[in-house]
Amino acid sequence: DAVVPRIGTQTIYVVVQDQNHRPISGVKVNMFVTLPSGNTQFHDMAVTNNDGIAKITFDIISQSTGLAEVSVNAIYEIITEQTISSFRIWW
């Protein structure tokens, strides 16, 4: 969700594809979520499935509202890639 409450849950989907937009299965995915307060949560996700998708749902407990930054790492054989995303904690 683009916006979540201060106490609730969030679901993150990570899609891993090769340069030809074909899904890659078996990619190890983990992420760090930095909350508006500056506190950081680490989440070790499952490996990607046959469609190249990894999914995790986690609890949000935040004292403050604002932007939460998500830093995702994907590791496949000797290749490691990183990307970022965000969502807003609001009410």
Side-chain angles (χ1 to χ4, degrees), residues 7 13-15 19 28 32 37 39-40 43 45 48 54 57 63 66 68 70 76 79-80 82 84-85:
I7 298 175
Y13 296 86
V14 176
V15 179
Q19 64 273 22
K28 177 68 181 144
F32 291 92
S37 64
N39 292 339
T40 301
H43 297 281
M45 300 174 72
T48 56
T57 299
Q63 297 292 329
V70 180
Y76 183 71
I79 300 169
T80 300
Q82 183 178 10
I84 60 170
S85 187

Side-chain angles (χ1 to χ4, degrees), residues 31-80:
M31 67 179 183
F32 291 92
V33 179
T34 304
L35 300 173
S37 64
N39 292 339
T40 301
Q41 301 175 347
F42 174 78
H43 297 281
D44 197 15
M45 300 174 72
V47 297
T48 56
N49 62 19
N50 287 337
D51 296 319
I53 299 171
K55 171 189 164 186
I56 188 169
T57 299
F58 57 95
D59 293 327
I60 297 291
I61 300 173
S62 179
Q63 297 292 329
S64 50
T65 59
L67 194 67
E69 184 177 295
V70 180
S71 176
V72 177
N73 297 303
I75 304 160
Y76 183 71
E77 296 176 354
I78 62 169
I79 300 169
T80 300

